[in-house]
Each structure stands twice: as structure tokens, then as C-alpha cells.
Amino acid sequence: MRANLLDPSGSRTTLQAAAFAAGLATVCALFMGFGVRTPETVLTFQPSMATVAPADFLRFISAAPALTLRFFAADSLFVLSYAVVFLGWYTLTGPRAPALAGLGLAAGLAAAACDALENAHFIVYASLALHGAPVPEPALPLIYLIANLKWEAAFAALLVFGLIWPRTTKADWAIAGLMLAFPLVGVLGVAAPALVPVRSLFFLIAMPLFAWYFWRAARSSP
């Protein structure tokens, strides 16, 4: 990464923070995917698509509230981590295209806000179930709408950052390609739900790559 692409004001600290956040997001994604023994798949455990009835939506939450809270503790940390990653992307692209980088950052933070709001519903329901309190009927389709907006905002952020990402090295081109593939596959998943699980693979592949990239960029930052 060339130092002249970076904002010299505080860029090193921001990129170091983004590198740490990307590494932390990787750990959280691995924990959610493999460290929590969910009753079925993660998509069944956290239904973000409008595919189940209210009773089925609460089935796993009511049956395993402690497990649900562990899962969403990791997911909450994941949300906080990738919000910092978006800031790292903004730091790298802002000097090249300020308006578009700002749009990408706004979309990314909107995705994080929607993600946190979606998680809050699951955390509240699981907390009630854990303490033996009556769990109200889930707020459907509101939760599905929030989840859909989360993904749409993430698609927009990745599209914008992918278009303006620096393309100096092969790593730059690989990252730009990953970014642009994410919204394409994501939007196709609306029409072909079988593609929805592919969205999660992006984070497992991309976050370790970004952790390395941010750290490398921080070392060359003024």
C-alpha cells in the first residue's frame, strides 16, 4: 500500500484499530459458526429471512436461552468490530473519493445499526426465557424488515468501497473483487434463497485478509 493514498492525520492509529477489529471479527465469526453448538444451522437459529411462523421463530430461543445469549454476545461484538472495519475502509479510500467514501461509511454504519437492532430482539426474548418470564409474540415482520435493511445497507457499502478501492497491487485487486462480488451474490440471493448462506462466507474469507491489509497499510502510513 502506498503511503500517499492515506490521510496523514491519524491514519496509522485508525488502520491499526481497524486491523485489530478485523481480527476480532474473524474470531467472532468462527465462534458463531463453529464454537456455539446451535440446535440446527445458524440460519435456523437466527432466522433473518421471512420463512418461519412466529412459533417456529421462538422455538430455539425458548428451548436454549443461555445458548442464544452466548451466540448473540459474540454477534454483538462482531457488529462493533465490523463497524470499525468500515472506518478503516473510509480511511483508505477517503482521500481518493471523499463523497463516495462518506456514502460507503454511512451505509456501513447503517448496516451495523440495523444489525444491532435485530440482535436486540433476540437478546430480549432470550433474556425473558432464561428468567422464566413470558416471552411475547415476536415482532414479525418488523424483525425481517430490519434484517433485510441490514443486508441492503451492507450491499451498498461494499459496492461503493469496491468501486473506489485502490488498485495498486494484486492484493488490492483481490479485495476489490471480493467487495464487488458480495453485493452481486447478495442481491441474487433475493431471487435465489439458496445463495443466502454464501453471504456469511464473505466474512470468513475477507476479515482475515483485511486484518493483514490494514496492518500492512498502517506500517506504511506516515
Side-chain angles (χ1 to χ4, degrees):
M1 186 67 199
R2 295 178 185 273
N4 61 5
L5 292 177
L6 303 175
D7 178 2
S9 178
S11 61
R12 179 187 292 271
T13 301
T14 301
L15 293 172
Q16 287 174 340
F20 176 82
L24 186 58
T26 302
V27 173
C28 292
L30 289 171
F31 179 78
M32 288 187 289
F34 305 102
V36 178
R37 294 182 178 273
T38 56
E40 291 186 19
T41 66
V42 171
L43 290 177
T44 305
F45 192 64
Q46 183 187 3
S48 296
M49 303 288 291
T51 56
V52 299
D56 291 326
F57 185 93
L58 291 175
R59 182 158 54 98
F60 293 125
I61 297 173
S62 300
L67 182 65
T68 301
L69 290 174
R70 287 198 295 273
F71 179 89
F72 283 99
D75 200 8
S76 297
L77 186 56
F78 178 75
V79 173
L80 296 175
S81 299
Y82 77 66
V84 179
V85 171
F86 281 122
L87 186 58
W89 294 351
Y90 174 80
T91 300
L92 290 173
T93 59
R96 305 177 76 245
L100 286 172
L103 176 62
L105 178 61
L109 295 180
C114 289
D115 204 347
L117 185 57
E118 178 194 3
N119 287 352
H121 285 85
F122 290 92
I123 292 169
V124 168
Y125 298 146
S127 296
L128 290 171
L130 183 66
H131 292 89
V135 180
E137 185 172 322
L140 303 179
L142 176 62
I143 297 173
Y144 292 143
L145 293 173
I146 293 170
N148 186 72
L149 288 174
K150 169 191 71 176
W151 286 112
E152 292 292 338
F155 298 157
L158 271 292
L159 176 64
V160 171
F161 282 121
L163 290 173
I164 62 176
W165 194 259
R167 293 174 175 84
T168 305
T169 66
K170 291 181 179 179
D172 295 332
W173 280 97
I175 288 175
L178 272 175
M179 285 182 161
L180 294 175
F182 178 70
L184 175 60
V185 174
V187 171
L188 288 175
V190 175
L195 292 173
V196 170
V198 178
R199 298 173 181 175
S200 300
L201 292 177
F202 171 83
F203 296 104
L204 287 176
I205 296 171
M207 286 302 174
L209 179 60
F210 282 119
W212 165 80
Y213 191 93
F214 284 138
W215 188 256
R216 179 168 169 261
R219 293 182 63 184
S220 63
S221 176

